[in-house]
Structure formats: structure tokens, C-alpha cells
Amino acid sequence: MSDAAIEVESLGRTFKVRGGQVVALKNVDMRVGRGEIVGLLGSNGAGKTTLTKILATLLLPSSGTARIFGHDVTADPREVRRMIGVVLGGDRGLYSKLNGRDNLRFFAMLAGVGRRGLAERLDAALDRVGLTEVADRAVETYSKGMRQRLHLAIGMINEPPVMLLDEPTVGLDPVEAERLRRDIAGLRDGGTSVLLTSHYLLDIERLADRVVILADGEAAADVDVAEFAKLAGYTAIVTVRGMGRPPEFESGQSQFTVDDLSESGGLWTLRLRVRDWSVESFGSLGSALGGVDILGVDVSPLRLEDVYSHVAAQLAANGPSKAGEVHP
Amino acid sequence: MSDQRIAAPSSPDAGVRESLTPGDRVRSAAWTFLTAARTEQRAMQGNPLVLINGGFLPIALLVISVETRRPTSGRAAEIVVSVMLTALWACTIWTSGGVLRRERTYGTLASCVCGVASPTVILFGKSFGATLYGVGMTLATTLGTVLVLRLPVAVAQPFWIAVGLVIVVVSATTLGALMSCLFLLTRNGLIWSGALMYPVFVLGGLLLPPDVLPVWLRWAPQLLSLHWINEFLSGAIGGGLSFTPLSVAVLLTIVYGVLAWFTYRWSIDKARQRGTLDYA
């Protein structure tokens, strides 16, 4: 039995369109270990959905292989389906006229859960996602967050060792999104492997151990989250506002990079990228700003969104074939 | 929300599944079938297609048919059965034929065809549930209208009328399942089903008598079980019972079922190749 939960090797997929073909994935290699949460990032059209659909056995690959715990998605789809749970963001994918419990019962049957002990299992799943009170209400009366939690309960009903989550927090308010993130974090604590696709970098930051970036159908980067954060080359942005003469930073001051300097009516705003927060960098900043008339200082720690924007800009400029440049 | 930890996942190493006895398999398939049927019936509550075809159509046709000239008891039975068949067919063929279209609309199609449970059993279960829902509505409306209009209905062979109605349900289920496959092959299934609606009605003899069709098209109604069931039921009402049309109807129903079985599996493979399955 393979040690990897998900193994993807040289995976490719092309779609025939009028007048030619579109390459959605080409030679993608990636791996998700047992109990690991891997974030899958990429702009629209990068191939994330195609990869997820292949792993969910909805789509056949054109080339290469994808395996879930050693079971090939093409040769052994039924066994793969026993091992995966799929959770998607959005309002669809449920029977709105049915209540939550009946939806869960139907999807449990689809997932191969037997009749024996089903009622207890449904109760436990509803309790786990906090829907016990509303389990007998029609789903059409549910809020977006409640529907999303029902999706999660459906995905987990057969207790699969692998979960594929596609934009699970899309459209949720911050409280609901945080509640869902806690549930997903609980999956890892229970030993489940998760492939998490999300445009919300906060989801990745809070949950993922590793990040795979797809660009133009290729895996352009595969790094752990800590390394990913370093790809931008800085850890924070310091914005200083002042009046009179702006401070000057020597080119040798490696801790800072001037990102932007704007002046208007004797007032200036300076944006600095801080490479690394350390005693030295604080000292350097203090000396550079000494004797300058400062009106305010604002420090914004680097967000994963900023890193992704930086990486995406590099990929757009260089293409995935130059992906080595964004590898750590 | 409960503080309990998420349950440990089922072991991926349990590669060899527990072997099931044939009895277990049958019980499991029966449960899958019934759960799918029940889910479909609940999901269809208030469906306008069923309300119009199963609720409004029999009332309108019966009122129009009997109000122009009060029929005798034998003629009334013939009219009632014809109206009921027309409404049943119109109602069930489009409710069961639209099973996968509705799944696509709900965003549940991919889950239904790419789950662990047999997608074929689920399709037949859902098609059966949809058909029963339509039949229930049509029978209730027709009987209610007969009582309100005080029609003198007398049937020579009531048992065989009931048998004919059972064949209608099974036949509509299997033909509906066959037509459903269209929605797997193309995202434009709704447009196709709309385009096919009137040709099927005309060829099935619902809008025009088959002998009005051009000679080169008169073979087409012979392929529809409805045509033979209609012939059988007409005999059962008048007392001239003939089992040949019943046998042909049963044979055609089996053919629809076998075709649906293979077409569905082929359609799923095609859909996975073409990428026409979406999760939502």
C-alpha cells in the first residue's frame, strides 16, 4: 500500500474544442501525504478544477496517472470513490426541497454507507457540523453557511481518508468561514489527508501544510507554507508618512527595499519592504528615520495574498517554464 | 456545535472489502433503489410539469370529451382510459425522462453517477420514484373527475386494466431512464428534450391517430409500448381481451430497460472522457 494519500505523476488533460484543442493540464506531478493538508493555488483557468475533477473520478486524464492510496483513478474508480469525500463551495449540490437529514441520508447511500447504524451516523455527522437543531428543516430555508456545513457533513459521512475541498468558504461571512476552518482543521487532527483549493489565501494560511501552485496547467511551485511565505522576498510593509525632506535609504541597507515614495504639498508617504524583522532591522529603520519629521508609521505584516500576487506576477511575466525562478 | 473530534477516517489499508453474499447485495441494491425513489419523489413535490400533466390535463380532457355528448357506460370507460393513458404518458415520460436533467439543475448529477453505489440502480430508482409520483397524481385526478362528473364507467376486465397500468409505470420508468442518458452526454439536454417532446407525442399517437401519419412513418408507433398498451386496454374494456399487445408491450419495456442499462453506462464513460460532468 502506498504511503502517499494522493500521487499524481505526469498528469495531462486536453479538451477538444472547435478548431483544435485546449491543454488544461500538462505533466503535473504532486503528492499529498497521509494526514497532510495541501493548498492548491492558481488563477482562473490554471487547471485546479480539472485536477480536482480527475481525482474525484469525474474526468479521465489524457496522459499520466493519478492514484489515491495506490488506487488508480482510471483503472479502479470505484475503490477511489470509497476513499474520497468531496466538498464544494456554493449553493448547489443539494436537494433544496428535502430536509438536511434526508439529504445526508441520500448522499450517505451514494457514498456506500450501509443501512446498519446509519441513523446514529447521520445524527453524529449533523451534530459534528452543528446542524442537529435544523436537521428536519427543508434545505431551501438554510443560510449559505448552513448549506456549506451540510456539504462538509456529506463529504465526511463515509469517513474517507482523503478529502477534496474546492472553495469551501466561498461566500461565507467571517464567522461562518472561521467555524468551517475549525472543522477542516479537525479533519487533519483525525488523520485525514486534504487537498484544499481556494482563492481565499486565509484558508491556505490557516490550514495548509504545503502549497502547490498551478499555472497554465503546470505545477509551477510546490513548497511548504513557511517557504511559500518567503517567496515574496519580504516579511512586512512599513508605511511612513512625514513632512519636509523624506529620509534616504542607502543602497547597501539590505533589510529594506523602497517600494514607493510619493510627495505632495510638502507631505510624503514612503512604503518600505522589510526583508526580515530582526533587532538589526529595527535599529536600521530607527537610524534612517532619525531627524525626520514623522507624522505616522504603519506596519503591515506580509499576507499570503501578497506572496501569491508576487508569485503570480512572476509567473505571468516568465511563464511556468521559468517556474524554477519562483522555487525556493 | 459539538466539541467532539472529527471521527477517524476509514482505513485506506483496508484494501480488501468485506465480501458480500448475494443476499447482501440484493438487499443493498433494494435499499439503494428505494432510497433513490423516495428522494426523487420528495424532491419533485410541487413540480409544475407534474401538476400540469398529471393534474390539469386529465381534468381538461375529460371535461372536453364528455361535456360535448354524454357517453354510454362502455364509451365512458373507453374515454376515461384513453384520457388517463394520455395524461400518464405525458406526465411520466417527462418526469422520469427528466431525472438527470433535474440532477444537473440541482448540481447533484456528478454525485449520482460517480458515487460508490451503482449509478444504474440509482437512475432506475429515481426514474421509478418520478413515475410513481406522476401516476399517483394522474390517477387521483382522473378518479376525482370521474366522480365529480358522475361518469357511468363500467369495465369488463378490471384486473387486466390494473395489469396494463402496472406495465405503463414500468415502461415509462425504463423509457424515461433511457431518455435521461441524453443529459449526461450534453449540457444542452434541456434543449434536446424540448425538441423531442412533440415528435414523441405525435409518434406515440397522443396528438394524432397513428393512421394519420404518412405511410413511411407508420412503423414508428409500433416501437412505442404506449401504442400496444392502449390496444390491450381497449380490449380489456370492451371484453375482447388479447394478450398479443400486452406481450409486445412487455417485450418493448424489457428492450427499453436493457438499452437504458447499457446506454447509461456508456454515457457515463463518455461523460468522463468529454468532461461534461460538473460537481455543481
Side-chain angles (χ1 to χ4, degrees):
Chain A
M1 177 63 63
S2 169
D3 191 42
I6 301 175
E7 278 175 296
V8 171
E9 286 171 15
S10 308
L11 196 70
R13 171 71 208 200
T14 53
F15 291 98
K16 283 181 187 164
V17 292
R18 209 169 288 169
Q21 58 180 24
V22 171
V23 180
L25 288 178
K26 50 187 170 188
N27 289 322
V28 172
D29 292 306
M30 67 170 286
R31 185 178 182 280
V32 177
R34 291 186 187 215
E36 190 180 27
I37 298 184
V38 172
L40 188 61
L41 294 177
S43 46
N44 293 332
K48 305 186 298 293
T49 303
T50 303
L51 177 57
T52 308
K53 281 167 78 172
I54 289 174
L55 293 173
T57 73
L58 298 191
L59 184 64
L60 294 171
S62 306
S63 59
T65 57
R67 287 186 294 270
I68 306 286
F69 281 109
H71 296 281
D72 191 283
V73 295
T74 306
D76 200 3
R78 198 141 188 256
E79 205 53 42
V80 168
R81 289 168 195 158
R82 284 187 200 281
M83 296 196 170
I84 58 169
V86 183
V87 177
L88 300 157
D91 288 337
R92 298 174 71 233
L94 297 168
Y95 297 99
S96 56
K97 299 260 185 221
L98 268 65
N99 64 37
R101 189 185 304 278
D102 285 341
N103 265 283
L104 197 51
R105 181 181 290 110
F106 177 72
F107 286 101
M109 178 270 287
L110 287 184
V113 177
R115 280 176 78 187
R116 198 170 299 155
L118 178 65
E120 293 76 22
R121 196 183 270 228
L122 297 183
D123 286 341
L126 288 164
D127 182 46
R128 201 182 294 155
V129 295
L131 290 177
T132 303
E133 300 286 313
V134 295
D136 297 317
R137 256 173 53 189
V139 163
E140 62 192 355
T141 67
Y142 280 20
S143 70
K144 201 180 261 276
M146 287 153 76
R147 284 172 191 232
Q148 202 50 29
R149 278 185 274 147
L150 182 57
H151 272 302
L152 190 62
I154 287 169
M156 297 188 310
I157 192 68
N158 57 336
E159 294 165 6
V162 175
M163 293 283 284
L164 306 175
L165 309 181
D166 193 355
E167 305 284 359
T169 60
V170 69
L172 298 186
D173 67 50
V175 175
E176 281 284 6
E178 196 52 40
R179 174 184 277 191
L180 202 73
R181 283 187 205 106
R182 275 204 306 271
D183 287 346
I184 296 168
L187 289 172
R188 175 179 38 203
D189 298 342
T192 306
S193 309
V194 178
L195 182 64
L196 170 65
T197 305
S198 180
H199 278 119
Y200 293 99
L201 274 293
L202 190 59
D203 292 347
I204 306 289
E205 195 165 13
R206 293 276 172 84
L207 297 167
D209 304 303
R210 206 149 50 77
V211 174
V212 171
I213 299 178
L214 287 183
D216 289 337
E218 293 182 57
D222 183 350
V223 290
D224 66 41
V225 171
E227 290 297 319
F228 179 65
K230 291 179 187 170
L231 290 179
Y234 62 98
T235 56
I237 295 236
V238 176
T239 306
V240 186
R241 284 173 291 111
M243 54 191 294
R245 199 168 60 83
E248 286 178 8
F249 283 85
E250 295 166 20
S251 56
Q253 274 184 317
S254 58
Q255 289 96 338
F256 303 102
T257 312
V258 176
D259 194 38
D260 185 43
L261 173 62
S262 58
E263 291 182 73
S264 171
L267 299 173
W268 49 264
T269 303
L270 175 67
R271 274 168 54 92
L272 295 169
R273 287 182 178 186
V274 184
R275 184 153 299 168
D276 188 22
W277 275 125
S278 61
V279 176
E280 288 76 26
S281 56
F282 270 114
S284 303
L285 184 62
S287 356
L289 297 178
V292 177
D293 205 351
I294 295 172
L295 298 174
V297 177
D298 182 35
V299 179
S300 308
L302 178 73
R303 296 167 309 157
L304 232 48
E305 272 181 36
D306 303 319
V307 183
Y308 180 66
S309 301
H310 174 83
V311 172
Q314 278 199 25
L315 288 169
N318 302 329
S321 58
K322 301 277 184 89
E325 292 181 21
V326 298
H327 277 280
Chain B
M1 184 176 299
S2 165
D3 285 328
Q4 74 182 93
R5 289 275 292 273
I6 302 292
S10 56
S11 169
D13 300 327
V16 181
R17 309 288 308 174
E18 285 177 37
S19 57
L20 297 174
T21 64
D24 289 338
R25 285 179 198 279
V26 170
R27 274 191 290 277
S28 170
W31 181 62
T32 302
F33 184 87
L34 291 175
T35 307
R38 192 173 69 159
T39 302
E40 187 62 21
Q41 284 186 336
R42 290 185 181 180
M44 284 190 66
Q45 280 170 15
N47 186 306
L49 201 65
V50 182
L51 293 177
I52 290 170
N53 286 326
F56 177 72
L57 190 65
I59 298 173
L61 290 179
L62 276 176
V63 168
I64 292 166
S65 305
V66 303
E67 285 302 306
T68 45
R69 197 166 65 180
R70 195 73 186 168
T72 59
S73 68
R75 181 75 184 130
E78 208 171 295
I79 290 172
V80 168
V81 168
S82 299
V83 164
M84 202 163 61
L85 267 188
T86 306
L88 275 180
W89 195 256
C91 183
T92 55
I93 197 70
W94 297 113
T95 49
S96 61
V99 162
L100 296 184
R101 176 182 64 79
R102 287 192 292 281
E103 298 303 327
R104 200 179 267 289
T105 310
Y106 303 146
T108 50
L109 178 63
S111 304
C112 287
V113 302
C114 286
V116 176
S118 161
T120 319
V121 175
I122 290 163
L123 174 68
F124 278 100
K126 280 181 160 278
S127 189
F128 180 69
T131 304
L132 269 193
Y133 187 70
V135 167
M137 169 89 67
T138 308
L139 286 182
T141 313
T142 307
L143 289 178
T145 312
V146 165
L147 290 175
V148 169
L149 295 177
R150 298 181 182 198
L151 289 177
V153 178
V155 176
Q157 303 276 356
F159 172 76
W160 290 108
I161 295 280
V163 170
L165 290 178
V166 170
I167 302 297
V168 170
V169 172
V170 180
S171 202
T173 300
T174 51
L175 187 57
L178 179 60
M179 290 177 65
S180 257
C181 298
L182 194 62
F183 295 96
L184 269 177
L185 292 174
T186 169
R187 290 189 175 96
N188 301 319
L190 190 59
I191 297 166
W192 276 102
S193 72
L196 285 172
M197 183 183 285
Y198 281 99
V200 170
F201 273 16
V202 170
L203 294 179
L206 295 180
L207 293 179
L208 298 169
D211 51 8
V212 174
L213 294 173
V215 178
W216 57 270
L217 251 185
R218 284 186 194 161
W219 57 270
Q222 318 269 320
L223 297 179
L224 291 175
S225 55
L226 173 69
H227 170 81
W228 298 99
I229 294 167
N230 192 24
E231 200 162 299
F232 171 74
L233 289 178
S234 300
I237 291 163
L241 199 60
S242 164
F243 289 101
T244 307
L246 182 68
S247 309
V248 178
V250 170
L251 186 69
L252 280 172
T253 301
I254 293 169
V255 170
Y256 296 158
V258 172
L259 272 180
W261 183 281
F262 285 107
T263 310
Y264 188 48
R265 299 183 90 79
W266 176 81
S267 304
I268 292 173
D269 289 344
K270 277 284 166 203
R272 290 179 68 210
Q273 278 169 22
R274 293 179 185 174
T276 54
L277 289 173
D278 299 302
Y279 251 118

